[in-house]
Amino acid sequence: RAIPSDVKTSLAASSLITQTYVNGWGYLYNTGSYGSNYLLRAYVAYYGLGANLMEDALYASASSTQDLISINGSIYNYSLHFDADELPPVNAFWSLCAYNNNTGLFVENEIGRYSIGSRDSLLYNADGSLDLYMQTDSPGAGLESNWLPIPDEAGRFVMRFYWPKDEMLNREWHVPALCKTLKIFARSFGDEVGNDDIEKEAINVYPNPVSNILYVGGNSANLVSIFDTSGKLVFEQENINSITVN
């Protein structure tokens, strides 16, 4: 039997269910041991079926970025950067998953990958730091080892940390803030196309998710117009060979 909508609202609004938010990520530090807090027990059972004691596993979730912009794979690409000395402190392993924020379910993707984490063959930077890419389209062949496909719609991220170390249990370490990059759409020869189709029009677009600089190159392109996803014209130039848009 479905849970009545008013009960769902009561669960989400209850003052007995307190999440700690840091860098846009929410943490529940008192899962698995509820005492007489039956609302918290019900909340965890409804949203997660169950949860471990925090000494066994900690969870962090985000349905929006630090600036309170909702996660949406149709509008933004996302990334996470961990410095070499700020990797998730666990004795076992950690993972990152992406869900449809309305259904709470995974969404099918072209590579069949629904989580990414420390048990995968990730590509680390030369200084030992780590970048993860969460977006609907591939970040490029050289970065696909660190790519988590996300829904082309409203989404939610969940990180799980198994056998967390003391710095997590003591609330000294937290997941860094998500970095978001607005997806770019280009129009060439009067036709508006997305990133996937740009090459067909002899135009290449390379957005840099770290610097937010957009590199655009074209062969015999007599007009390039760049719009953001709201339809606002942000750049236009005729007879280009290559340009850099900041």
Side-chain angles (χ1 to χ4, degrees):
R1 182 179 176 183
I3 297 178
S5 59
D6 59 332
V7 175
K8 294 181 185 179
T9 302
S10 297
L11 285 176
S14 173
S15 61
L16 297 176
I17 301 166
T18 303
Q19 288 200 67
T20 301
Y21 284 90
V22 181
N23 298 331
W25 293 84
Y27 300 79
L28 278 173
Y29 285 101
N30 51 350
T31 59
S33 180
Y34 310 107
S36 59
N37 190 342
Y38 299 110
L39 274 177
L40 177 59
R41 184 190 298 270
Y43 177 88
V44 173
Y46 175 72
Y47 286 99
L49 298 182
N52 292 293
L53 293 167
M54 73 174 190
E55 291 81 7
D56 295 324
L58 273 176
Y59 312 91
S61 63
S63 56
S64 62
T65 50
Q66 190 174 18
D67 55 1
L68 302 181
I69 303 299
S70 297
I71 303 297
N72 194 315
S74 69
I75 302 175
Y76 295 101
N77 294 331
Y78 301 91
S79 61
L80 265 179
H81 176 81
F82 298 94
D83 289 336
D85 58 352
E86 289 293 331
L87 294 169
V90 294
N91 291 300
F93 63 93
W94 58 266
S95 66
L96 169 67
C97 296
Y99 301 89
N100 176 296
N101 197 41
N102 296 316
T103 66
L105 302 175
F106 291 130
V107 176
E108 187 174 358
N109 62 78
E110 62 184 87
I111 62 172
R113 181 181 294 166
Y114 300 97
S115 71
I116 193 169
S118 57
R119 294 175 296 175
D120 296 304
S121 299
L122 300 174
L123 176 67
Y124 289 79
N125 300 314
D127 62 358
S129 64
L130 177 66
D131 291 295
L132 301 178
Y133 304 95
M134 298 85 77
Q135 52 195 67
T136 57
D137 304 313
S138 169
L143 299 175
E144 284 193 348
S145 61
N146 295 23
W147 172 37
L148 177 65
I150 65 174
D152 191 21
E153 55 199 334
R156 178 168 61 98
F157 297 118
V158 176
M159 290 202 74
R160 295 175 173 87
F161 308 93
Y162 294 94
W163 193 2
K165 293 184 178 181
D166 287 343
E167 49 262 57
M168 286 203 72
L169 297 175
N170 296 334
R171 310 186 188 192
E172 298 167 357
W173 184 95
H174 299 94
V175 183
L178 289 162
C179 175
K180 69 179 185 300
T181 304
L182 185 67
K183 286 186 174 182
I184 299 295
F185 293 82
R187 184 180 67 192
S188 175
F189 307 108
D191 296 320
E192 190 170 331
V193 293
N195 288 330
D196 289 343
D197 299 322
I198 288 173
E199 189 172 345
K200 298 176 184 178
E201 299 291 345
I203 295 177
N204 297 294
V205 176
Y206 306 97
N208 185 320
V210 177
S211 66
N212 283 328
I213 292 177
L214 178 72
Y215 303 93
V216 180
N219 297 319
S220 303
N222 55 11
L223 176 66
V224 171
S225 303
I226 301 174
F227 299 82
D228 65 22
T229 51
S230 70
K232 179 183 177 181
L233 180 67
V234 295
F235 183 89
E236 188 167 70
Q237 183 172 325
E238 296 181 351
N239 300 318
I240 69 164
N241 183 277
S242 64
I243 56 176
T244 300
V245 181
N246 190 350

